[in-house]
Amino acid sequence: MEASKTGALSSLELTVRSARVRVRAADVVEPRVTVGTAEIGADGRIAARGSSAIELECPIGTDVTIGTTSGSVECSGALGRLSISTHSGSVRVERGTQVSIRTWSGAVAVDHADESCLVVTHSGEVQIGSAPHVDVTCSSGSATIAAGRDATVHSGSGAVHVCCCAPGEVDVHTMSGSVVVSIMGDWSPACELASRSGRIDNLLAEPPHPTGAVAVATASGRITVQAE
Amino acid sequence: MSTRVRGALVFTDLAGFTAFTAEHGDDAALQLVEQFEQLVVSLLPSDARIVKQLGDGFFLFFADVRSALAAATELAAHARHGVAAGIPLWPRTGVHFGVAVARGDDLFGNDVNIAARITDLAGADEILLSAAACAELDHHAPFDPVGPVFLKGIQHPVRLFRVAPMAMSPTGR
């Protein structure tokens, strides 16, 4: 755990077996527990005891790590590095610098990651607003990335939709889900699209000088690459 | 009197394998597992062995974490080449260091269960390590902290680390 130059804790680590967790970044100097029975240690570690709900308020930019088994996790405001793991229960993040979420089931929604967003889920639906670098593994849920640049997606059977707002590298692998890659803006990537039995529709004009790259490989899903 | 062994306990399996089997059928799934097995066997150093195979996954034992991590990293790199050739090998790997009880060729124990559960949390092409495994390595190794994680069936949270993508490939991913 680290402290900022002012001496305030710049990172928090919460482990709670089962509880609804809310973390709110706000214009405050020190983190504090606003709901629930928990204490923040000098090292930033939070020991929560048998509460059904834990709510924290912390300074903007605080790094937060949360480990839980069930119950939803909700992070609002602009946080720093976020690492969240849960077995079930939904996860919602408004904003973080580097966001990492691992869950067995339950929906995952991240509005914005300044640097990167990694999501691993077995069955939850994944929705990511904007992030320069995205890495998603989902066994059966669908994945939607609204505004990405570099994106790597591995999906078992869910549909994947990646919307690229800047030239980057998009790499999507699915077993059976359909894949739609939408290109936003005046640029065209080099496309490498492969499907064993699914239909492939590349609706972009072949660029003489491609910027960025889109590679999609799917076993049977339909692939569509289009201008947004 | 049971025999106890101490070393790196590694589980690796294929993300998306269930969907692959449903889509392509049992024969194609068997073929994929055989390709994965060939790859795993080819990368095992002399101090390691396959403890057992479980469907699309392998339980491996290594004498030390360094050698386990090297093999797991190679596995991910080779799998990426396979993906480029159209073979959907998406390995995910969990590494833990601890003690196991031997029964014949098999290994049992809480540390074995922890290693198996770590793998459940890994994404495609990803390697996760427990703090116990990391402690066996150079402290300056490029690991990203995942934090304390509750693993299914394990009483206390286990602190995990992720091998940074830059450490797995010269160009990252």
Side-chain angles (χ1 to χ4, degrees):
Chain A
M1 302 296 107
E2 293 177 2
S4 69
K5 287 175 182 174
T6 60
L9 285 167
S10 59
S11 62
L12 298 173
E13 184 179 287
L14 169 67
T15 48
V16 55
R17 186 161 284 279
S18 179
R20 177 174 57 78
V21 178
R22 283 187 179 170
V23 180
R24 190 169 78 90
D27 189 16
V28 297
V29 177
E30 294 286 345
R32 67 188 182 102
V33 178
T34 54
V35 173
T37 309
E39 290 172 10
I40 302 176
D43 58 359
R45 292 183 184 174
I46 302 167
R49 293 184 301 276
S51 298
S52 59
I54 301 289
E55 295 191 18
L56 306 172
E57 190 175 66
C58 61
I60 291 164
T62 301
D63 295 339
V64 178
T65 300
I66 298 167
T68 182
T69 58
S70 62
S72 63
V73 177
E74 188 178 325
C75 298
S76 60
L79 290 156
R81 186 180 185 282
L82 274 169
S83 184
I84 299 165
S85 66
T86 175
H87 291 188
S88 60
S90 62
V91 178
R92 177 163 197 93
V93 171
E94 185 177 350
R95 182 171 189 168
T97 53
Q98 300 171 35
V99 178
S100 165
I101 298 167
R102 293 168 199 275
T103 172
W104 196 267
S105 61
V108 174
V110 178
D111 291 349
H112 177 77
D114 296 339
E115 297 174 21
S116 62
C117 182
L118 177 145
V119 177
V120 178
T121 175
H122 287 259
S123 62
E125 182 182 341
V126 179
Q127 289 193 312
I128 298 171
S130 57
H133 300 278
V134 175
D135 191 337
V136 174
T137 297
C138 51
S139 298
S140 62
S142 64
T144 303
I145 301 161
R149 190 182 68 202
D150 300 325
T152 301
V153 181
H154 291 83
S155 170
S157 58
V160 176
H161 186 187
V162 181
C163 210
C164 304
C165 58
E169 292 194 6
V170 175
D171 201 4
V172 180
H173 303 267
T174 77
M175 294 297 179
S176 62
S178 64
V179 179
V180 176
V181 178
S182 301
I183 304 299
M184 297 167 70
D186 189 22
W187 59 282
S188 287
C191 292
E192 192 178 329
L193 313 174
S195 179
R196 284 191 185 179
S197 58
R199 178 174 162 175
I200 299 175
D201 289 318
N202 185 351
L203 305 177
L204 302 177
E206 193 164 328
H209 305 290
T211 48
V214 171
V216 181
T218 162
S220 61
R222 179 176 179 171
I223 301 172
T224 306
V225 181
Q226 62 190 19
E228 183 74 6
Chain B
M1 186 75 177
S2 58
T3 305
R4 289 174 190 274
V5 295
R6 188 178 181 82
L9 308 163
V10 177
F11 280 81
T12 185
D13 65 15
L14 295 173
F17 183 74
T18 304
F20 179 87
T21 306
E23 190 62 31
H24 295 281
D26 297 346
D27 291 340
L30 180 62
Q31 198 176 358
L32 185 66
V33 167
E34 285 173 350
Q35 287 175 306
F36 189 43
E37 181 180 19
Q38 283 175 14
L39 185 57
V40 169
V41 169
S42 72
L43 296 172
L44 283 185
S46 58
D47 67 346
R49 70 178 177 94
I50 295 176
V51 178
K52 69 171 105 171
Q53 185 173 352
L54 317 101
D56 63 315
F58 293 88
F59 172 24
L60 311 170
F61 178 81
F62 293 75
D64 63 78
V65 175
R66 189 172 303 281
S67 133
L69 185 57
T73 306
E74 280 289 301
L75 181 64
H78 279 74
R80 279 198 290 276
H81 288 301
V83 168
I87 304 165
L89 286 172
W90 309 343
R92 49 185 194 154
T93 304
V95 182
H96 180 52
F97 183 79
V99 175
V101 177
R103 181 174 181 268
D105 288 338
D106 210 348
L107 298 176
F108 297 88
N110 191 53
D111 283 328
V112 174
N113 297 338
I114 289 173
R117 291 305 187 191
I118 290 171
T119 310
D120 290 341
L121 285 171
D125 289 351
E126 193 176 43
I127 304 166
L128 295 179
L129 296 93
S130 66
C134 282
E136 294 291 307
L137 297 165
D138 180 357
H139 290 296
H140 299 291
F143 301 127
D144 295 330
V146 172
V149 168
F150 286 99
L151 303 171
K152 275 189 179 176
I154 306 298
Q155 189 177 3
H156 299 292
V158 175
R159 193 168 291 276
L160 298 185
F161 295 83
R162 173 184 190 239
V163 177
M166 290 301 286
M168 295 176 63
S169 157
T171 55
R173 285 201 313 183

